[in-house]
Amino acid sequence: MGRIIFFVLLAVAAYLVWKSLQRASRRTDPKPPPAATQAMVSCAHCGLHLPQTDALVDGNRYFCSDEHRRLSASA
């Protein structure tokens, strides 16, 4: 009877240690850095919004593609 109680207490202690380690690892996990925000611009031809870094610039106007830049220049 004493052996059964010993192994039950050993199992409970192992479970508590395991749960404690899980909680500690969750607290120390680094959070990902916040995503960098980008300025958004709209295409002067179709109005599509896109990040300024992806846009084509012609003077002070932004375009989503070279085709829209050419179409806007010819219009």
Side-chain angles (χ1 to χ4, degrees):
M1 183 70 173
R3 281 186 166 181
I4 294 173
I5 292 173
F6 172 75
F7 284 115
V8 168
L9 290 176
L10 185 64
V12 168
Y15 174 76
L16 292 175
V17 168
W18 179 65
K19 287 300 258 185
S20 174
L21 291 174
Q22 277 188 331
R23 276 191 227 115
S25 70
R26 270 191 245 139
R27 275 188 242 134
T28 59
D29 286 344
K31 294 184 180 180
T37 58
Q38 296 184 14
M40 299 293 285
V41 295
S42 61
C43 176
H45 183 75
C46 67
L48 175 76
H49 287 85
L50 66 156
Q52 186 175 4
T53 56
D54 294 343
L56 300 173
V57 182
D58 187 15
N60 61 348
R61 300 184 312 168
Y62 297 97
F63 297 94
C64 63
S65 66
D66 191 47
E67 181 180 358
H68 281 185
R69 186 184 57 78
R70 283 186 282 115
L71 287 172
S72 185
S74 65

